[in-house]
Amino acid sequence: SANFRISKNPVCKNEVVTFTDSSIGNISAYAWDFGANASPATAVGKGPHNCVFSAGGTKTIKLTITTITGNLVKTKNLTVQ
């Protein structure tokens, strides 16, 4: 199953937030989408990945993992103040 942890939620603009994979299974690929106003906007690999958001609001973070049975997706919301 796909899953990840967010180091801090909510987070302030321009503050570093870390996304850590906690998926279970035989995973061959990881694709992260941190969305608009994120630096970086995307990442690959297990991580952890550090990210900074330059604008406030609710951000939808998406992790897609690839397993032998196909792709699994997990999304979580992050509040940037």
Side-chain angles (χ1 to χ4, degrees):
S1 65
N3 204 2
F4 61 92
R5 293 186 307 277
I6 302 171
S7 63
K8 186 176 181 182
N9 193 3
V11 65
C12 294
K13 288 188 302 184
N14 301 314
E15 182 178 1
V16 175
V17 61
T18 303
F19 299 93
T20 305
D21 171 66
S22 59
S23 303
I24 298 171
N26 186 8
I27 302 161
S28 59
Y30 300 82
W32 298 82
D33 184 348
F34 303 117
N37 305 115
S39 180
T42 62
V44 295
K46 182 176 176 75
H49 296 285
N50 293 327
C51 192
V52 175
F53 295 86
S54 61
T58 300
K59 311 299 180 182
T60 300
I61 313 303
K62 181 169 93 170
L63 169 62
T64 304
I65 61 170
T66 302
T67 69
I68 58 172
T69 59
N71 289 339
L72 302 171
V73 177
K74 179 68 174 185
T75 60
K76 291 186 179 184
N77 288 334
L78 170 69
T79 301
V80 179
Q81 301 174 331

